[in-house]
Amino acid sequence: MVIVSYLVVAVCLIAPFFAGRILGKNFFGPDGPIMIGLSLQFIVGLILSIYVYGYEKQKKSAVLLGYAFFFLSTGFCFFAGKTLWLILFWELSTVSAFLLYQGGKWTSESVKSFIALLLASGVGVFCFTFWIYSPDDDLGRFFLVLGLLVKVEFFGFHFWLPEVHAGAPAHASAAYSGVLVNLPLILFHQFVVPWIGNSIFIKILIPLAGFGVLWAGLSSLFSKDVRKSIAYSTIENTNFLMLCMLLSALWKDSDVDSLRVLSRSFSFLFFVSLIHHSVSKTFQFLSIGYLLKLSGSSNVDHNTGIGRISGLPSSLLCLGTISFLAIPGTTGFITEATFVKLVAGVLEIPGQSAILVLPLLILVSSGLVLGAAGHLRIFLGMILSRPRTNWPENTPPKAIRYSLLLSGILILVVSLGMSGYTLYYAPSKEWLDENWYRGLSSVNFIGLAVILIVGLLGIRTKIVRRKLWDCGGEYKGSDVAIPSNGISDPLYASLGRYFTTEKGNSRLDEAILNGILKVLDMFKTQVNEADEESISINLAFSSATVVVLLFLIIGLKLAEGDLWKLFLNTLTR
């Protein structure tokens, strides 16, 4: 049954490409963004499928079938456009996520995770429905933007995402952050960027996106829950991606040539950052998620040194962190270096528009640095530090080792591909500075060579005598371990306390959630007692009922006139 499930997953990963060919999509032209989204889904999906075999101990077939429906419905969403099919396939991708949780027992965290995912999906579906059927184009566009902002975890609409990741399996978190989030970003690029540059929305969204990067970076640094810390890093990256698209839309139709060139450059940065976020965040969720499963806790300080006994080499576990630290040879280096180049380009452009954006870009740079520090804090505490707990030595399953190895190699190979792309197209593209990217590629190649030499060829110094932190006394107690809070706590009194509580929870998120609960309490009636698993099952059946009703509505719509015949002719053309 497991083999059959893998075959179904493979078919569902390939099917969207054939659907695009049948529908006449030009993947190497105007529909290039869809090609990027589907390619990332295909590669990441294969890695996730391998990872599931080693991560889950039971119901592997059910989890894999869940991924089959998830990949198929997410892939078809790219082609749905402004039709009811978008709602159908998006809701199907959410309902199929119920199967992703079947490998383990339902806990309060996993129930909250699935409920948060359903609520976000419900809000998005409502907004998209209004966009499709609204007779007023302006009002329809408003709901389109609102639905995509919820789906993309934009600042102010993000509060559901940390709850989703806090209780999701490691592979599901990787799927949400490495695959699912790409869909609303690419749809925003297709349907919103062409017209939002001249609207009032952009003047509101640009400052919010910039502050969202800074706030999410701070929350990632001070969060004491490892899963939520990486989730806040995802919010930081998605707000950065939104900012790139918004700045590209702002200057797209400018009368100043240099601003139009800058618009193309920010559009290029968006796609580079999208690829970087997808591959690097997938690795982080898979690697850190496996370590958390070994310890049984998601508290960052309770996991001090867990990487030492995991059976996975530190040279492998460090790849996601060094990518977010923008070390040469990784995808993060290309992204951060391009952003620095564009910030410098803003300084050289005369005019009030560029000057007003510059302070915002400085805040964004600070947020990116803080987010990178959050990843470094997790790596130093969980992987390099001496264990505080006497955990038994672990031997990871081969599927875990192979999937992490493939994911880590992907970070390096994609970085090499990005450098090759810029070197090839820079002479013919006005928005690619040839001299800058030639030097950038040289540094990236050197960094990649160093990573390969140190990591793969194993140049090491044999340790004859270990020197511990007690300056030579050879004391080996657990209290010489350096926990992750050793990095964040010194900054808490001066900076962190304004954004997070002493328990590491976001003050903003707590305020939003408490406000929502107070509003819901106003309509509270007598609640029947039910266990957590039955609540999740009932929600899943309710969502499935919605999907069935959508199928019925679509069938009735197609039955009207010659719509059904037209639909079949389109598929068989």
Side-chain angles (χ1 to χ4, degrees), residues 158 162 215 219 223 232 499-501 504-511:
H158 65 275
W215 171 85
S219 300
S223 177
Y232 283 120
F499 297 90
T500 58
T501 64
N505 298 323
S506 169
R507 294 185 182 275
L508 176 62
D509 286 2
E510 283 193 347

Side-chain angles (χ1 to χ4, degrees), residues 20 36 96 123 150 156 207 261 276 279 320 343 347 358 372 397 426 450 468 512 515 519-520 554 564 571:
I36 294 175
S96 63
V123 174
V150 172
V261 171
H276 156 60
V279 300
V343 172
L347 287 171
L358 183 60
V450 171
L468 302 178
I512 295 175
V519 173
L520 294 177
I554 291 173
W564 182 250
L571 291 180

Side-chain angles (χ1 to χ4, degrees), residues 312-323:
L312 296 169
S314 300
S315 57
L316 174 62
L317 294 174
C318 76
L319 289 177
T321 300
I322 66 174
S323 182

Side-chain angles (χ1 to χ4, degrees), residues 451-526:
I451 292 174
L452 292 176
I453 291 174
V454 175
L456 300 181
L457 300 183
I459 297 179
R460 301 181 181 91
T461 300
K462 186 176 180 180
I463 300 176
V464 179
R465 179 182 179 185
R466 290 184 180 275
K467 294 183 179 180
L468 302 178
W469 295 104
D470 63 338
C471 302
E474 297 189 3
Y475 175 69
K476 299 181 180 180
S478 61
D479 48 340
V480 298
I482 299 180
S484 298
N485 59 17
I487 297 176
S488 56
D489 281 2
L491 297 174
Y492 181 79
S494 59
L495 185 62
R497 63 191 181 98
Y498 299 106
F499 297 90
T500 58
T501 64
E502 293 183 359
K503 295 181 179 181
N505 298 323
S506 169
R507 294 185 182 275
L508 176 62
D509 286 2
E510 283 193 347
I512 295 175
L513 291 174
N514 289 335
I516 294 175
L517 291 176
K518 288 182 179 179
V519 173
L520 294 177
D521 284 342
M522 297 171 58
F523 306 96
K524 183 186 294 184
T525 58
Q526 185 177 358

Side-chain angles (χ1 to χ4, degrees), residues 268-280:
F268 171 72
L269 177 59
F270 162 72
F271 288 109
V272 171
S273 302
L274 179 70
I275 297 171
H276 156 60
H277 171 262
S278 182
V279 300
S280 300

Side-chain angles (χ1 to χ4, degrees), residues 267-425:
S267 181
F268 171 72
L269 177 59
F270 162 72
F271 288 109
V272 171
S273 302
L274 179 70
I275 297 171
H276 156 60
H277 171 262
S278 182
V279 300
S280 300
K281 199 56 64 69
T282 296
F283 181 89
Q284 285 294 83
F285 273 116
L286 294 182
S287 58
I288 301 300
Y290 179 69
L291 300 182
L292 296 181
K293 186 176 184 180
L294 293 179
S295 68
S297 172
S298 61
N299 185 281
V300 65
D301 293 327
H302 292 171
N303 288 279
T304 302
I306 186 66
R308 290 286 192 95
I309 58 90
S310 66
L312 296 169
S314 300
S315 57
L316 174 62
L317 294 174
C318 76
L319 289 177
T321 300
I322 66 174
S323 182
F324 284 104
L325 289 175
I327 301 299
T330 64
T331 56
F333 173 71
I334 302 294
T335 298
E336 305 297 339
T338 302
F339 176 68
V340 171
K341 167 65 177 175
L342 296 185
V343 172
V346 173
L347 287 171
E348 300 174 356
I349 296 176
Q352 187 177 5
S353 177
I355 295 176
L356 292 176
V357 170
L358 183 60
L360 183 66
L361 297 180
I362 296 175
L363 290 179
V364 171
S365 302
S366 303
L368 295 175
V369 171
L370 291 168
H375 286 279
L376 181 63
R377 177 186 68 133
I378 294 173
F379 175 75
L380 294 179
M382 292 183 60
I383 299 171
L384 290 189
S385 181
R386 185 178 182 81
R388 279 184 163 183
T389 305
N390 188 23
W391 285 298
E393 290 292 332
N394 176 70
T395 301
K398 290 183 179 180
I400 295 291
R401 189 184 295 271
Y402 293 154
S403 59
L404 291 180
L405 182 61
L406 289 174
S407 184
I409 292 175
L410 184 62
I411 294 175
L412 305 179
V413 170
V414 170
S415 172
L416 187 64
M418 289 179 179
S419 295
Y421 176 89
T422 54
L423 284 176
Y424 182 80
Y425 283 103

